[in-house]
Amino acid sequence: MSSIRLQRRPLLGEPAGWSDAVPAILQRVYAARGVFGPEHAEHRLTRLLPPRQLGGMREAVALLGQALADDASIIIAGDYDCDGATGTAVAVRGLRMLGARRVDYVVPNRFVHGYGLTPELVASLPAHAQLVVTVDNGIASVAGVAAAQARGMRVIVTDHHLPGERLPAADAIVNPNVHGDGFPSKALAGVGVMFYVLLALRAHLREQGRFAADAEPDLSTLLDLVALGTVADLVPLDFNNRVLVEAGMKRIRSQRACAGITALIEASQRSVWALCTSDLGYAVGPRLNAAGRLEDMRLGVESLLTDDLLQARRYAEQLSSINQERRDLQATMVAEAEAMVAGAAGIDTQSVGVCLFEPGWHAGVVGLVASKLKERLHRPVIAFAPASEDEPELLRGSARSIAGFHVRDALAAVDARHPGLIERFGGHAMAAGLSLKAAGYARFAAAFDAVAREWLNEEQLQAVLYTDGELPAGMFTLDLARTLRFAGPWGQAFPEPVFDNRFECFSWRPMGERHLRLSLRDPRDDTLHDAVMFNGYHGQPPPAMLRAAYELTINDWQGRESPRLLLRHIEPA
């Protein structure tokens, strides 16, 4: 059993204005997430925040419009994660739709160029490049932007990461998280920012009369890519992001996704028509991410740019193979990390801010290790690995945090207290990256733990699983499971409904080494419910009477659907 505490989500307001077609249980779920009536759940594209509200947009659009008029060479500088890959594909596809004839892209290799628009990446750009547009990076690329400009290139930074104290001297910066920017939503992913730039550019070209009658490009065809990148990057799904994601999901479910996404869905053995956001986050996104973690993200970007389904399937097969390699490597590294926190490696198991390092770890996978250990320990975790075989003296770290601990701000605090200890850092509240010299690791680990001890209290270190209360007897139906599945889109800061009920464990059996298959009896009406719990078997039987937190999901076995409880937590009742 874990130390998770179950807590009911409070209603943030009273439901109102719903039709009888919306079940009361869904109204309650919505109200616990700040959605009180149908006007807050209707995700129409017409309700998107207008692009003109984003700071820096006028300058960026003017530069892009002039580049199109001059037939200039445009280089998209992307990032090596799923958000960066989808954002790069959106930029290339969108600019070509809007008339760009000379547009290409680069993605840094994390082991060669480092993160973002670095001077090393700039040095690799072709001599004919005239305009560089960063996607999902650049806000920390002070030296890289200067290097590009020294070569005579103009630079537009599009990003969503939090800026440091100094902004790059780019020709234009579009980032809702720049201090003082008035854009109401700060949650856009990198791909979302790039999509907004394209919307603004299209409006600019329209005003200039650049489109023939009835020939204006339909940028909504890019929304499948926007949805994938937004969900995979774990940005909060506020209303504006839900509009973007829902529109993209509708394209995918109606079989209008690009060839690359279609092939990745096939490779992950998911049903297109029944696809939900968790499928993007747990099955499709990781296949793209694997390329950037272990090899070169160009493979992922190319899979999203091709319109040839057969070629896309070949790319998807390669990406799936790399992803399996990543999973095997991750399993080994997580096992080693778990041994460390068990005390086998002699680390301080009482740390509040946990740092882990193993010389044999892969720098592309440490973020996944940090995420797994953060879930187990419910503490902020940073996992480190050598930056590369050629630079064992330089460490790259990936941080994952818990609610109430802004990890990027914590790194800034360490940097302020120990100037020069951290080589570079950046990120968000819940995830960040950094690099430092191996000789400074022990000093950094102590400094990070000190900040965590100052900023976190005992209550915050207690894991809490929020639930939507009990599901009434008789409502464990396939119809409700379907309704809940498509009522989102669910994701970060707008989580899937989780209920908790008291059950009798009627029967159980292990599935493989770590999973459970159960039949649970509801004592209120004696009905039996099929249930599974992944990573929930530790060699002991479940309690005879238990309280379970669960999602009501759909079991699709050989084309036959039935309701099933996906258990998130069980404890004695």
Side-chain angles (χ1 to χ4, degrees):
M1 302 300 152
S2 75
S3 59
I4 292 175
R5 174 168 57 90
L6 299 182
Q7 183 169 322
R8 302 283 173 87
R9 290 185 184 278
L11 300 187
L12 302 179
E14 288 300 320
W18 295 103
S19 72
D20 293 338
V22 180
I25 192 73
L26 180 56
Q27 295 181 34
R28 191 178 85 196
V29 166
Y30 276 150
R33 290 156 179 78
V35 174
F36 311 121
E39 69 277 10
H40 301 294
E42 295 172 351
H43 302 129
R44 297 191 300 270
L45 284 172
T46 54
R47 300 188 64 187
L48 275 180
L49 293 168
R52 64 177 178 272
Q53 292 187 14
L54 262 171
M57 191 65 85
R58 179 175 299 181
E59 295 84 356
V61 164
L63 284 167
L64 284 167
Q66 192 60 52
L68 266 59
D70 295 342
D71 196 25
S73 173
I74 304 172
I75 300 292
I76 307 301
D79 190 20
Y80 42 62
D81 66 358
C82 187
D83 186 16
T86 54
T88 300
V90 163
V92 172
R93 283 183 173 273
L95 288 172
R96 287 173 179 169
M97 291 167 64
L98 293 170
R101 297 192 304 167
R102 303 172 63 202
V103 57
D104 202 352
Y105 73 93
V106 294
V107 179
N109 184 307
R110 72 169 76 214
F111 311 110
V112 177
H113 305 109
Y115 170 77
L117 187 69
T118 61
E120 293 82 1
L121 183 63
V122 171
S124 73
L125 298 181
H128 60 75
Q130 296 168 278
L131 176 63
V132 178
V133 182
T134 74
V135 177
D136 190 34
N137 74 89
I139 201 63
S141 300
V142 175
V145 169
Q149 291 172 331
R151 291 186 58 186
M153 303 171 190
R154 310 292 292 273
V155 182
I156 300 173
V157 168
T158 77
D159 200 353
H160 70 126
H161 293 94
L162 297 173
E165 293 183 3
R166 182 182 173 193
L167 293 177
D171 297 274
I173 296 177
V174 183
N175 181 340
N177 287 302
V178 168
H179 180 70
D181 190 283
F183 194 69
S185 170
K186 306 301 181 183
L188 282 175
V191 66
V193 175
M194 189 63 232
F195 182 71
Y196 259 81
V197 170
L198 294 173
L199 291 177
L201 177 58
R202 184 179 64 179
H204 174 75
L205 297 176
R206 181 192 305 131
E207 292 170 359
Q208 292 186 333
R210 297 279 291 274
F211 301 123
D214 301 322
E216 185 170 295
D218 181 5
L219 295 178
S220 71
T221 59
L222 303 172
L223 285 167
D224 55 337
L225 293 163
V226 177
L228 173 55
T230 300
V231 171
D233 211 48
L234 298 178
V235 293
L237 292 191
D238 62 4
F239 181 81
N240 203 63
N241 273 341
R242 295 202 301 275
V243 171
L244 292 169
V245 171
E246 180 63 19
M249 294 300 295
K250 286 179 178 178
R251 288 197 64 81
I252 295 171
R253 293 186 191 122
S254 62
Q255 299 183 325
R256 293 181 293 156
C258 68
I261 289 181
T262 299
L264 287 167
I265 293 170
E266 291 177 355
S268 62
Q269 299 182 321
R270 295 305 200 269
S271 170
V272 171
W273 68 267
L275 200 78
C276 60
T277 49
S278 62
D279 295 318
L280 294 184
Y282 293 111
V284 180
R287 283 171 161 77
L288 275 175
N289 271 325
R293 293 187 185 281
L294 300 188
E295 295 193 19
D296 188 342
M297 185 49 98
R298 286 190 65 90
L299 176 63
V301 176
E302 286 298 314
S303 76
L304 301 178
L305 288 178
T306 183
D307 293 319
D308 183 334
L309 184 56
L310 291 178
Q311 180 61 54
R313 286 170 173 157
R314 287 190 284 269
Y315 285 134
E317 184 178 349
Q318 291 178 265
L319 291 167
S320 294
S321 177
I322 297 170
N323 189 51
Q324 185 58 54
E325 180 184 352
R326 184 273 306 169
R327 293 180 62 175
D328 294 342
L329 183 59
Q330 176 185 335
T332 299
M333 290 168 58
V334 167
E336 292 172 348
E338 288 178 339
M340 289 182 188
V341 300
I347 70 166
D348 182 3
T349 56
Q350 301 304 311
S351 296
V352 174
V354 179
C355 291
L356 304 170
F357 167 60
E358 166 57 49
W361 282 355
H362 193 290
V365 186
V366 287
L368 302 174
V369 173
S371 181
K372 290 292 185 183
L373 269 293
K374 180 264 295 186
E375 291 173 6
R376 175 181 167 180
L377 302 173
H378 195 69
R379 279 161 165 68
V381 175
I382 309 180
F384 288 88
S388 68
E389 293 181 0
D390 298 331
E391 293 182 289
E393 73 284 354
L394 182 67
L395 302 185
R396 291 225 175 100
S398 192
R400 298 294 184 270
S401 194
I402 60 175
F405 187 78
H406 196 302
V407 70
R408 189 217 167 267
D409 285 356
L411 293 179
V414 172
D415 187 52
R417 297 178 187 183
H418 305 274
L421 178 60
I422 303 176
E423 299 274 315
R424 59 186 298 174
F425 68 93
H428 302 294
M430 303 301 286
L434 71 155
S435 60
L436 53 82
K437 294 289 178 58
Y441 170 75
R443 185 173 162 221
F444 172 83
F448 181 69
D449 182 41
V451 171
R453 289 176 183 275
E454 291 175 23
W455 291 10
L456 288 167
N457 57 43
E458 285 300 319
E459 184 177 348
Q460 291 170 306
L461 293 172
Q462 168 70 57
V464 177
L465 177 57
Y466 290 94
T467 81
D468 294 287
E470 292 191 352
L471 196 59
M475 294 200 67
F476 295 75
T477 66
L478 184 58
D479 283 345
L480 181 60
R482 286 177 178 144
T483 297
L484 295 175
R485 184 183 186 94
F486 300 118
W490 311 111
Q492 191 76 7
F494 200 76
E496 294 92 344
V498 174
F499 304 101
D500 71 275
N501 285 74
R502 183 173 174 270
F503 297 102
E504 175 192 351
C505 183
F506 181 76
S507 65
W508 70 278
R509 61 180 174 84
M511 293 192 306
E513 295 182 356
R514 305 185 67 177
H515 313 310
L516 279 174
R517 177 78 180 266
L518 310 95
S519 180
L520 302 179
R521 187 200 301 272
D522 189 334
R524 298 171 299 179
D525 58 6
D526 286 334
T527 55
L528 292 176
H529 303 296
D530 182 38
V532 295
M533 187 173 188
F534 297 112
N535 298 308
Y537 181 56
H538 306 289
Q540 300 295 323
M545 294 298 298
L546 57 88
R547 179 160 292 277
Y550 61 90
E551 297 175 33
L552 180 62
T553 64
I554 300 172
N555 180 25
D556 182 3
W557 174 248
Q558 295 182 338
R560 299 178 61 183
E561 292 185 336
S562 60
R564 182 170 69 179
L565 309 187
L566 176 59
L567 304 187
R568 298 272 299 275
H569 172 74
I570 58 175
E571 59 187 37

